[in-house]
Amino acid sequence: MLRYIGASSLFFQKNQLMSLITLRHRQSGMIPMPIPFWVLIGGQPLGIMRGKEVKIELPKGVYSLGVRFCVPLGKWQPGVQSEKKVVVADDEQIEIEFCSRERLWNLLFDIDLVLWLLSFFITLPSPWNTAYEVVSNGFFVLWGIRVWLIRNRFFRISEVARCAIGEQR
C-alpha cells in the first residue's frame, strides 16, 4: 500500500480521514507481459506498480494521478504515460483502471511476434519472405511513429467505481 501525504505534510494529522484509491492495470493483447509502471501524483513518482493493482491512501483533495512505463524509451525522458485528474473526498474508496490505447496495434504486434518466432523454424520462399520482411518492418516503423505521437496520452485511465469506505458495492 502506498501512502501519499502530499506537499503539505507538515499539516498532516494522524487522525485525518484518508481515502483509498485502487489503481488496476487491465491487460490488452494476447500475450500478457507484466511490465512495471511508475505511479505518479502531480507528475512526481510515488512508487512502482509491479502487479495488477496498487492501493494508495490519500487525504481529501484534487490530484493528478498518472501512470508511466518504468523503462524510458530512448531520450524521451517523460516516456510513455498518461494522467487523469481525480477528486478525492473524505473517507472514500475509488477504483481506477488503466489500459493501453493500442489494442489493435498490440494484436497486430502479437501476431507479428508469433510469425517472427516461426521464421526461425520455417523459411518462406523467395518472394514471400521479402514481402513479409517489408510489411513487418514497415509496421514496426508506423507503430514507433504512433507511439511517439501519443506518448503523453498512451493509457486510457477511467474511474470504475466510487463509494464510501464502509459501503458495499
Side-chain angles (χ1 to χ4, degrees), residues 2-3 23-24 31 38 41 52-53 66 73 97 103 111 118-119 124 130-131 133 138 147:
L2 300 172
R3 187 177 186 112
L23 183 64
R24 190 172 293 125
I31 302 171
W38 281 105
I41 300 283
K52 286 192 169 244
E53 75 176 36
L73 299 176
E97 279 188 349
R103 285 189 176 172
I111 292 169
L118 282 175
S119 72
L124 294 173
T130 305
E133 291 294 327
V147 167

Side-chain angles (χ1 to χ4, degrees), residues 50-148:
R50 290 191 173 101
K52 286 192 169 244
E53 75 176 36
V54 67
K55 296 182 184 297
I56 306 166
E57 285 186 340
L58 295 169
K60 178 182 176 179
V62 179
Y63 299 96
S64 176
L65 179 67
V67 177
R68 179 189 302 162
F69 277 125
C70 278
V71 181
L73 299 176
K75 294 181 182 179
W76 307 338
Q77 194 48 292
V80 177
Q81 66 183 19
S82 285
E83 289 188 358
K84 178 177 178 66
K85 184 176 165 183
V86 178
V87 179
V88 178
D90 282 335
D91 201 27
E92 188 175 45
Q93 184 172 353
I94 304 169
E95 290 186 21
I96 296 175
E97 279 188 349
F98 71 95
C99 66
S100 170
R101 292 184 184 270
E102 301 288 304
R103 285 189 176 172
L104 175 64
W105 289 92
N106 285 345
L107 179 66
L108 292 174
F109 181 77
D110 290 346
I111 292 169
D112 189 49
L113 183 64
V114 169
L115 290 174
W116 178 72
L117 289 173
L118 282 175
S119 72
F120 287 116
F121 303 107
I122 299 170
T123 304
L124 294 173
S126 179
W128 297 109
N129 188 25
T130 305
Y132 166 73
E133 291 294 327
V134 168
V135 169
S136 178
N137 293 338
F139 164 71
F140 181 73
V141 167
L142 289 175
W143 174 79
I145 291 169
R146 176 160 165 66
V147 167
W148 186 78

Side-chain angles (χ1 to χ4, degrees), residues 138-163:
F139 164 71
F140 181 73
V141 167
L142 289 175
W143 174 79
I145 291 169
R146 176 160 165 66
V147 167
W148 186 78
L149 290 174
I150 67 165
R151 68 187 179 278
N152 288 330
R153 55 188 192 286
F154 186 80
F155 298 105
R156 180 176 291 122
I157 302 174
S158 59
E159 187 175 309
V160 177
R162 180 184 290 258
C163 65

